[in-house]
Amino acid sequence: MTPMITIKPIPADAMTRVRDTTGNPGWLHDCGAFVYAPDQPHRCGVCWSAGRTRWAHNGNWQPAYVTRQAVSS
């Protein structure tokens, strides 16, 4: 039997969306590729150029986030 893992909830202000200078959100592909785009990309340019065309269209894109750390004064 696999032991359960307990994950503590992340505070709402701990994560913030990654955005470029014009406000486009960042997207992270399953293969690790990153792109700024106004909407979720249809295909991954990295997988497409590497010849993994099936994965390029079917891979999952997730919104990219960064974690803000509290600065202790």
Side-chain angles (χ1 to χ4, degrees):
M1 185 172 180
T2 307
M4 285 186 69
I5 299 171
T6 304
I7 300 173
K8 294 181 180 177
I10 299 172
D13 62 346
M15 304 282 276
T16 183
R17 286 290 295 268
V18 177
R19 295 187 183 276
D20 66 2
T21 55
T22 56
N24 291 319
W27 297 92
L28 188 64
H29 192 238
D30 283 350
C31 74
F34 175 83
V35 67
Y36 287 111
D39 299 310
Q40 180 175 320
H42 173 62
R43 73 175 188 215
C44 174
V46 174
C47 289
W48 188 263
S49 63
R52 298 191 299 259
T53 54
R54 192 174 136 222
W55 199 30
H57 286 286
N58 297 333
N60 292 325
W61 289 93
Q62 300 295 328
Y65 290 93
V66 293
T67 305
R68 291 188 294 189
Q69 295 180 347
V71 179
S72 57
S73 53

